[in-house]
Each structure stands twice: as structure tokens, then as C-alpha cells.
Amino acid sequence: MWIIGPTDEDKPYYLECMELVLKNELQKTVKFFGKVSVSDYLPEIDVLVLTSISEAQPLVILEAGSIGIPCVATDVGSCSELIFGRSDENPKLEAGGDICSLFAPHEIAESVHRLLTEKDYHEKCGRAMRERINKYYDIADQDRQYKEIYRNLMEK
């Protein structure tokens, strides 16, 4: 298991996590990489897991989804929309993974386990993520939409 992200934002929490890894003798299984360029690691990731307690629109889900990595995330921000689709999604695509409750490690583990052990499900979710992100979250389209919003506001 790779844990990617800054370790200096909440040093006591990072140290607590390290202590848990040592206590449970998981040093060979769990590796902390700190702050890195996620794109360097994406080709090696089978399932993206985001267990945030607060998010807006997490870039890491967009990055992973754009190359077909299924995701398991907590029900915060737009995670549900990214994984299950927007209300205006047409045609409606399959789920790109799973959304779990906050502070529900067993639920998260079950979702990850299913994605890692059910190959057809993993492929279906990965395909849905890639289609959804590439169709609805293209940067050129977003730029065009922002320009349109600003143009409309300036005309008023």
C-alpha cells in the first residue's frame, strides 16, 4: 500500500500513522512517499483510495480516472459525482468505483477488496471512470465554460 501526500501538514497525525505501521509490523506493506507528483505513480496504481474528511473536487480522482483507475472515496465534496456521475450525465455511465461513509474502515476495505479481486468489476469501473472524466472534465471544455460564464457576467 502506498500513501502519497504531504507528511508535514499534520506532523502528529503522520507520526501516529507511522506508529501504527510499526506496531502492526506493516513496514513491508505500507510505504509513505510524502509529497510527490502523483502522475509519476499513477501507472503503478490498481485502485485509488481517497479517505478525506473534506474535499472540493479532488484533482487526484480526475487524474486517476482519466487513465481508467477505479476509485474508492469517502462521501465528501464532489467525490460521489466523479465516481457515480453528474445528474445530467447522458448516457448514464456505470459506477467508477465506490463511495464510502466517513470513518468506515471496514466499508472502505470491502470496496477496495472487491475492486482488487473481481477483475470484471475492476475493468468496468475503470472504463466508466475514463469515459466520465474524459467526457465531462476535459480542461478545454472547462476553459470554454468559464469563458462563457465570465462573458455573460461582463454583459450584465
Side-chain angles (χ1 to χ4, degrees), residues 12-40:
Y13 177 68
Y14 169 66
L15 294 173
E16 180 183 344
C17 292
M18 289 294 297
E19 187 177 310
L20 281 170
V21 168
L22 292 171
K23 179 181 174 185
N24 292 293
E25 300 178 1
L26 296 171
Q27 302 91 312
K28 292 181 180 178
T29 305
V30 177
K31 182 161 181 162
F32 293 87
F33 283 90
K35 186 176 182 179
V36 297
S37 173
V38 175
S39 61
D40 292 341

Side-chain angles (χ1 to χ4, degrees), residues 1-20:
M1 172 189 293
W2 294 351
I3 300 176
I4 299 172
T7 57
D8 58 351
E9 288 180 1
D10 187 345
K11 197 71 166 179
Y13 177 68
Y14 169 66
L15 294 173
E16 180 183 344
C17 292
M18 289 294 297
E19 187 177 310
L20 281 170

Side-chain angles (χ1 to χ4, degrees), residues 31-66:
K31 182 161 181 162
F32 293 87
F33 283 90
K35 186 176 182 179
V36 297
S37 173
V38 175
S39 61
D40 292 341
Y41 293 82
L42 286 176
E44 304 298 322
I45 295 174
D46 296 312
V47 175
L48 177 87
V49 182
L50 182 70
T51 58
S52 297
I53 59 171
S54 177
E55 284 289 346
Q57 183 180 56
L59 181 59
V60 70
I61 290 180
L62 292 167
E63 292 168 328
S66 72

Side-chain angles (χ1 to χ4, degrees), residues 48-134:
L48 177 87
V49 182
L50 182 70
T51 58
S52 297
I53 59 171
S54 177
E55 284 289 346
Q57 183 180 56
L59 181 59
V60 70
I61 290 180
L62 292 167
E63 292 168 328
S66 72
I67 62 169
I69 298 171
C71 302
V72 173
T74 46
D75 195 8
V76 294
S78 66
C79 293
S80 182
E81 177 181 292
L82 294 171
I83 293 173
F84 294 132
R86 303 181 329 193
S87 60
D88 65 345
E89 189 173 86
N90 188 15
K92 189 74 175 154
L93 300 171
E94 299 280 343
D98 205 2
I99 292 292
C100 298
S101 307
L102 287 171
F103 311 110
H106 293 290
E107 188 179 339
I108 293 163
E110 287 173 10
S111 294
V112 171
H113 182 263
R114 180 175 182 204
L115 282 164
L116 291 175
T117 58
E118 296 180 25
K119 184 179 179 182
D120 290 342
Y121 178 64
H122 182 277
E123 288 175 5
K124 181 175 72 169
C125 290
R127 190 170 39 256
M129 283 301 291
R130 184 174 46 256
E131 289 177 34
R132 177 171 295 116
I133 301 306
N134 291 330

